[in-house]
């Protein structure tokens, strides 16, 4: 029996966890329905999740439906926990995007949608809460079509709001109802050709074509229901079982390979390494070699919420937890090395400093190391210059939850300073950098050219140098270390982004060159190129959407202009104004509280990260020492090292000053 891994994703309060409960209950995975409001849901078992009524940590459950094994992965719905949700995308064979019929498309819904599209994850849309009052179905469908014109309703709904009575499926096993035939044929060139030639198309062909088109995201099925009443759950299970395809490995290997997608420190079991099997299989007592060291698998487990079951083997496509292997990291591929999608783009743009009692420093460092291993986006760092502990956060809710989580789990009280934004650096001109690295029995030479890239494009690298002159293995080392070299800029020590880097020259030595030599030479060449360029400070911006009464729209627009925001055209619906635009995060973090006071709690504001833009107050940011990021000066410098007649000389190339060593 093959396994399908399906993620449940939604904006907060769309009914995702309730849907998960119903799926488990209908399939017999649980005997009694849990309730989010009562804190009894199976997958939201953490104390914080019970208290807040939201999903914070991703959890999974195994279901069996009509001879199909389905793993559902319940992901966080709040934008502050988006990195956790994004990491789960790497193990999904399909996704259910749950949307509340009443609230419709919200800011985080769009973020999820684009992430699913960028990662080519087959998706089914489940429109939940069809019994709610105030549903504007035509507007919702228009908003959905704005996201993607490949949406296809495969059900009819009977009434909406208080008159909602249920749904009628347009698919019955292999039989496809007539109104779906044409859209399916149009998405399949082979069937379209047969149709035009008036060749009869069999039901089996239509069903197969539909499944293929869903896998290729040419069709996005839309289903309807009301999870709290169990309406549409059976049909949703049928769709998950029949319309999604199990994982098929790209690399047909007999040897085991697996992706570590989650790490959890368990009080009794120790370190749990959650993996998806990409090829081969893994059994208890198998040996895995990692960095030339052998580790024996001591146990394998599958989880449903906080309940675990021991298994003897994990096969291709399955997910489970391994014990007995230390030092693994999230995103690591273990066993046979294969290429697999595990690049994550969501990164916190806010930081905060951790406050604690002086005698608790060692304990706090230890617990932050644990949390950082479980969630690398925390980016825990100790600033030795200012002697402070710093972490990255997604927002105020994230910070509040962390504080509660540390108290509940580690029984230590910490607090956090007011968040600050993470700045970045970029270049505005073209410049070159060079490093000759030649300490004793080492040799590498690198020359690079660096220039601006489009906003939001990040780092792009191209080699303009022939492998005939610099072998491919050394060019790979250079490419791998470009992001490392750009981890720190030269003004604030902040990460450098939106740049193009070209390798234009390089040399190696047949006897003395080692791979690490090119790491050093690359970093120093990049640093020199940065010192010769004009550096621009970038700051993070929110995209905002505010809904308020018309009479307050002028005041709200004035507020955003004062916060150095940029306004889009304002929309008007009845007596409401919809104000959109972008605004620096640094100036607008506290505005939701101000808006609530201004509108008596009736105004609605939605924030989502937009991009890094030129900083509105660069001079102020540069002169504030609190914004300077500590970096290893022994690594991040532009010093070239020469050897002349067995005497080593360091040369600071940027200043053209040399001194003997």
């Amino acid at each position: 029996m093959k396994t399908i891994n399906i993620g449940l994703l939604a904006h907060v309060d769309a009914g995702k966890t309730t849907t998960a409960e119903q799926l488990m209950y209908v399939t017999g995975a649980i005997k009694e329905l849990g309730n989010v409001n009562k804190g009894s849901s199976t997958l939201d078992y953490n104390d914080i999740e019970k208290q807040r009524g939201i999903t914070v940590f991703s959890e999974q459950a195994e279901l069996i439906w009509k001879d199909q094994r389905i793993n559902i992965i319940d992901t966080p719905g709040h934008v502050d926990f988006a990195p956790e949700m994004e990491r789960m995308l790497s193990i999904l064979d399909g996704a259910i995007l749950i949307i509340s019929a009443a609230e419709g498309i919200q800011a985080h819904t769009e973020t999820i949608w684009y992430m699913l599209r960028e990662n080519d994850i087959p998706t089914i849309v489940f429109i939940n809460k069809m019994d709610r009052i105030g549903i504007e179905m035509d507007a919702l469908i228009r908003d959905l079509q704005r996201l993607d014109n490949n949406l296809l309703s495969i059900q009819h709904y009977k009434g909406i709001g208080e008159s909602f009575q249920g749904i009628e499926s347009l698919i019955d096993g292999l039989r496809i109802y007539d109104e779906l035939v044409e859209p399916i044929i149009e998405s399949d060139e082979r069937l379209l050709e047969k149709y035009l030639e008036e060749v009869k198309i069999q039901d089996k062909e239509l069903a197969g074509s539909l499944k293929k088109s869903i896998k290729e995201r040419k069709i996005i099925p839309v289903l309807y229901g009301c999870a709290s009443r169990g309406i549409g759950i059976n049909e949703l299970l049928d769709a998950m079982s029949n319309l999604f395809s199990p994982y098929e490995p790209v690399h047909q290997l007999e040897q085991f390979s697996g992706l570590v997608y989650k790490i959890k420190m368990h009080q009794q079991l120790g370190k749990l390494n959650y993996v998806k099997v990409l090829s081969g299989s893994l059994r208890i007592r198998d040996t895995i070699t990692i960095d030339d060291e052998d580790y024996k698998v001591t146990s394998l487990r599958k989880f449903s919420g906080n309940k675990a079951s021991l298994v003897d083997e994990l096969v291709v496509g399955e997910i489970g937890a391994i014990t007995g292997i230390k030092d693994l990291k999230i995103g690591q591929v273990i066993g046979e090395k294969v290429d697999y999608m595990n690049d994550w783009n969501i990164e916190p743009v806010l930081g905060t400093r951790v406050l604690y009692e002086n005698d608790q420093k060692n304990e706090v460092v230890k617990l932050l190391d644990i949390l950082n291993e479980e969630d690398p986006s925390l980016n825990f760092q100790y600033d030795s210059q200012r002697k402070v502990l710093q972490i990255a956060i997604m927002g105020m809710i994230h910070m509040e939850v962390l504080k509660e989580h540390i108290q509940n789990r580690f029984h230590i009280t910490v607090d956090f300073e007011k968040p600050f934004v993470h700045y970045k650096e970029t270049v505005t001109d073209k410049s070159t950098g060079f490093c000759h690295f030649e300490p004793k029995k080492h040799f590498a030479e690198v020359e690079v050219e660096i220039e601006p890239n489009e906003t939001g494009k990040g780092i792009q690298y191209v080699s303009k140098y022939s492998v005939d002159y610099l072998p491919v293995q050394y060019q790979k080392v250079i490419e791998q270390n470009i992001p490392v070299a750009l981890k720190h800029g030269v003004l604030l020590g902040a990460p450098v982004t939106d740049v193009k880097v070209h390798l234009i020259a390089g040399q190696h030595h047949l006897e003395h060159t080692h791979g690490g030599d090119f790491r050093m030479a690359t970093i120093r060449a990049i640093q020199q190129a940065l010192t010769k360029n004009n550096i621009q400070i970038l700051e993070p911006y929110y995209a905002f959407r505010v809904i308020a009464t018309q009479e307050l729209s002028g005041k709200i627009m004035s507020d955003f202009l004062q916060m150095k925001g940029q306004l889009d055209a304002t929309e008007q619906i009845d007596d409401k104004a919809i104000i959109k635009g972008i605004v620096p995060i640094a100036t607008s973090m506290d505005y939701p509280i101000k808006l609530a006071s201004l509108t008596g709690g009736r105004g609605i504001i939605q924030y989502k990260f937009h991009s890094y833009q030129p900083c509105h107050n660069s001079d102020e940011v540069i002169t504030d020492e609190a914004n300077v990021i500590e970096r290893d000066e022994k690594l991040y410098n532009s010093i070239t090292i020469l050897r002349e007649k067995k005497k080593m000389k360091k040369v600071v190339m940027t200043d053209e000053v040399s001194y003997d060593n």
Side-chain angles (χ1 to χ4, degrees), residues 614-644:
C615 186
H616 77 281
N617 59 337
S618 293
D619 292 342
E620 181 182 337
V621 169
I622 293 170
T623 55
D624 186 349
E625 290 187 2
N627 295 320
V628 177
I629 297 174
E630 184 181 23
R631 66 182 194 170
D632 183 355
E633 297 295 339
K634 292 180 180 178
L635 181 62
Y636 288 91
N637 61 64
S638 56
I639 296 173
T640 198
I641 297 179
L642 305 172
R643 293 191 68 82
E644 296 179 357

Side-chain angles (χ1 to χ4, degrees), residues 6-20 44 53-56 73-82 84-86 88-89 92 95-101 103-113 115-116 123-129 227 236:
I6 299 175
L8 305 181
L9 303 98
H11 185 93
V12 68
D13 289 336
K16 174 175 55 60
T17 301
T18 301
T19 302
D44 285 352
I54 61 172
T55 302
V56 175
I73 296 95
D74 187 19
T75 65
H78 196 285
V79 66
D80 276 16
F81 307 103
E84 172 88 358
M85 180 203 70
E86 187 187 31
M88 295 304 107
L89 297 184
L92 299 185
I96 307 297
L97 177 58
I98 301 169
I99 297 173
S100 167
E103 282 77 20
I105 306 294
Q106 298 180 278
H108 192 46
T109 314
E110 294 192 24
T111 301
I112 296 169
W113 184 264
M115 288 167 61
L116 291 171
T123 302
I124 289 174
V125 174
F126 179 61
I127 299 180
N128 190 26
K129 301 186 179 182
L236 180 57

Side-chain angles (χ1 to χ4, degrees), residues 153-159 164-172 175 177 179-180 222-225 231-232 235:
S153 291
I154 62 171
Q155 293 175 342
H156 287 158
Y157 52 87
K158 301 175 183 177
F164 178 64
Q165 298 175 1
I167 49 111
E168 178 185 1
S169 180
L170 300 177
I171 300 175
D172 182 11
R175 183 179 171 231
Y177 282 55
E179 65 183 86
L180 298 184
V222 179
L223 287 76
Y224 308 89
I231 299 175
E235 291 81 1

Side-chain angles (χ1 to χ4, degrees), residues 400-602:
E400 292 171 12
V401 166
L402 267 176
K403 182 178 176 180
E404 295 171 20
H405 183 54
I406 290 170
Q407 176 67 56
N408 293 351
R409 180 174 173 182
F410 301 100
H411 310 294
I412 293 177
T413 301
V414 300
D415 208 342
F416 302 102
E417 290 185 355
K418 181 179 178 179
F420 53 85
V421 302
H422 284 152
Y423 295 96
K424 291 190 177 184
E425 301 179 27
T426 193
V427 300
T428 59
D429 295 321
K430 184 180 289 188
S431 61
T432 59
F434 172 82
C435 177
H436 178 103
F437 183 75
E438 192 185 356
K440 188 175 181 180
K441 293 185 179 180
H442 292 270
F443 183 98
E445 196 169 273
V446 172
E447 186 171 9
V448 296
E449 180 183 77
I450 192 168
E451 63 179 332
N453 200 357
E454 294 178 40
T455 299
K457 289 292 186 180
I459 301 167
Q460 292 183 336
Y461 168 79
V462 174
S463 173
K464 293 184 175 180
Y465 201 55
S466 172
V467 294
D468 293 337
Y469 299 110
L470 186 63
V472 65
Q473 67 264 33
Y474 297 130
Q475 294 213 24
K476 283 186 176 180
V477 174
I478 292 171
E479 182 175 5
Q480 290 166 0
N481 281 285
I482 295 297
V484 179
L486 293 169
K487 184 178 179 181
H488 293 287
V490 294
L491 276 185
L492 299 176
V496 180
T497 189
D498 295 343
V499 293
K500 294 178 181 179
V501 179
H502 306 289
L503 175 65
I504 56 176
Q507 287 193 67
H508 71 294
H509 191 283
L510 291 175
E511 182 180 354
H512 296 313
T513 294
H514 306 279
D517 300 345
F518 276 98
R519 169 182 166 86
M520 297 298 294
T522 299
I523 293 172
R524 295 181 179 196
I526 289 285
Q527 289 292 304
Q528 187 194 124
L530 292 173
T531 60
K532 293 163 64 177
N533 211 302
N534 291 317
I535 304 299
Q536 185 175 60
I537 302 298
L538 302 176
E539 66 176 324
Y541 272 64
Y542 279 138
F544 67 85
R545 182 172 182 262
V546 178
I547 303 176
T549 58
Q550 284 285 347
E551 61 185 18
L552 291 174
S553 61
K555 167 62 176 167
I556 293 169
M557 287 190 286
S558 175
D559 287 345
F560 276 100
L561 290 174
Q562 288 181 15
M563 292 186 290
K564 308 301 180 183
Q566 302 170 29
L567 299 174
D568 294 337
T570 302
E571 299 177 30
Q572 181 176 344
I573 300 178
D574 299 328
D575 65 334
K576 302 290 186 184
I578 301 176
I579 305 162
K580 298 179 183 179
I582 62 174
V583 65
I585 293 177
T587 62
S588 59
M589 274 187 280
D590 299 330
Y591 192 71
I593 298 172
K594 182 177 179 179
L595 182 71
S597 174
L598 178 66
T599 63
R602 292 187 293 275

Side-chain angles (χ1 to χ4, degrees), residues 287-295 332 335 337:
T287 298
I288 300 177
T289 302
I290 301 170
D291 296 331
D292 298 324
E293 189 170 348
D294 291 339
Y295 296 92
Q332 187 174 352
K337 297 301 180 185

Side-chain angles (χ1 to χ4, degrees), residues 257-276:
S257 65
L259 172 70
V260 181
Y261 67 90
K262 178 179 174 180
I263 287 175
K264 190 174 183 180
M265 300 299 180
H266 195 280
Q267 194 168 1
Q268 286 80 36
L269 302 175
K271 184 177 180 179
L272 296 172
N273 303 290
Y274 288 73
V275 299
K276 178 177 181 177

